[in-house]
Amino acid sequence: MISTGAGISTESGIPPFRGSGGLWQNFKPEDLATPEAFERDPVTVWQWYDWRRQLISKVEPNAGHYALVEMEHLFHRFFLFTQNIDGLHQRAGSKQVHELHGNIWRVRCPAEDRTFVLAQTPLPGIPPLCECGATLRPDVVWFGESLPRDILNLAREVASSCDFFFTIGSSSTVEPAASLAWIARENGGVVVEVNEEITPVTEIANECFLGKAGTVLSDLLQAIKK
Ligand code: BV8
């Protein structure tokens, strides 16, 4: 089982959520990625997402994404879960991607309760409107919102039965995704962390590779293929 966070996309040029080079001007993601912020100021929230969409549209997947594409073919039971909404795993060629927090290229009409892809960037108008006239929202999971029940249940089930659990490029601070590593560990899975820094998972990991995901995953892939 693979679980990726913002750190697997930084080498493509997408800033992480936390730390220096954070995501946008002087806003904290936690202040913008909430239903309350959207209710209060949909224009600013959509400006942030439009900025991220434009950034993502200009970058490419990196060696870390491509290494996971190859790994998908090497193991008969391979599950990739991501907290990222950038869609780079799919663009790299990963076939089975389970998005715990949604996807920045999809929008949702709250009035009709339907989602669809709106890939136009920059957006034709901010905030984008549905044909029915309602204000569309990004089809992502905001802080304080529940994750898609089916995907979260699958992630927990796979974590509880996997042989290896790789957490890659995640600060492991956002729940409930962060707890997946503990579920794997408690059920006998070997937990492997790939990160540039120590995180709360490090102390329970069986192995921690401190380094850039692109380099570490490429090296691991070569070692597995030998
Ligand atoms: C929930 C989508 C139940 C949007 C995201 C109070 C009220 C309500 C909830 C809570 C609360 N207190 C706590 C919570 C729970 C909350 C939470 O965990 N908060 C945190 C801040 C404490 N969680 C939630 O709200 C979740 N829902 O709990 O539902 C519920 C329901 C109702 C009421 C109560 C509870 C929903 C969480 C999902 C939020 N949405 N994204 C968007 O993207 O715009 S989260 C977003 O942040 C990302 O998706 C990601 O998950 C997270 C960022 O984490 P990382 O991916 O780890 O990124 P980060 O920048 O932090 O770290 C990057 C790492 O990579 C670093 O460690 C760095 O060293 C490393 N790195 C960088 N470059 C590299 C690298 N490593 C290797 N190589 C490199 N090159």
Side-chain angles (χ1 to χ4, degrees):
M1 175 174 179
I2 306 282
S3 177
T4 63
I8 197 165
S9 294
T10 55
E11 290 165 72
S12 293
I14 299 176
F17 261 76
R18 287 167 184 74
S20 61
L23 261 174
W24 191 52
Q25 298 179 0
N26 52 359
F27 283 99
K28 278 175 53 188
E30 286 83 359
D31 297 339
L32 287 172
T34 69
E36 294 77 16
F38 188 70
E39 181 73 29
R40 186 176 57 247
D41 185 356
V43 170
T44 299
V45 173
W46 263 118
Q47 284 171 336
W48 179 46
Y49 280 95
D50 195 38
W51 175 81
R52 290 169 74 186
R53 290 159 54 103
Q54 292 186 54
L55 178 69
I56 294 165
S57 67
K58 296 184 183 98
V59 303
E60 295 297 327
N62 63 64
H65 296 107
Y66 290 116
L68 294 178
V69 174
E70 283 206 53
M71 283 188 197
E72 191 170 5
H73 303 302
L74 295 176
F75 299 97
H76 74 284
R77 197 167 180 263
F78 181 97
F79 288 87
L80 170 57
F81 292 86
T82 187
Q83 298 171 76
N84 301 337
I85 64 172
D86 56 32
L88 288 185
H89 284 300
Q90 294 92 322
R91 276 180 51 196
S94 288
K95 293 288 172 275
Q96 257 209 70
V97 182
H98 303 282
E99 294 172 315
L100 291 161
H101 296 159
N103 185 292
I104 202 166
W105 298 111
R106 282 198 311 269
V107 292
R108 192 187 316 155
C109 173
E112 298 170 322
D113 193 24
R114 70 186 177 102
T115 60
F116 54 95
V117 172
L118 176 64
Q120 198 177 342
T121 180
L123 285 165
I126 289 186
L129 302 180
C130 179
E131 285 158 6
C132 76
T135 298
L136 295 167
R137 60 160 283 175
D139 187 32
V140 300
V141 179
W142 281 326
F143 289 101
E145 293 185 324
S146 301
L147 277 62
R149 181 55 50 200
D150 53 341
I151 297 176
L152 182 57
N153 287 343
L154 177 63
R156 286 171 168 159
E157 183 213 316
V158 174
S160 66
S161 59
C162 64
D163 298 321
F164 287 89
F165 180 96
F166 280 77
T167 169
I168 301 165
S170 179
S171 59
S172 297
T173 52
V174 176
E175 295 296 354
S179 298
L180 294 171
W182 275 266
I183 294 173
R185 179 73 198 217
E186 282 157 12
N187 287 276
V190 173
V191 175
V192 179
E193 180 176 39
V194 179
N195 201 309
E196 286 187 306
E197 66 177 7
I198 303 292
T199 75
V201 160
T202 310
E203 60 189 56
I204 64 138
N206 300 84
E207 194 63 63
C208 177
F209 293 95
L210 278 180
K212 290 195 173 301
T215 310
V216 172
L217 292 175
S218 303
D219 293 347
L220 278 175
L221 179 66
Q222 292 319 311
I224 293 168
K225 285 165 61 173
K226 274 195 179 117

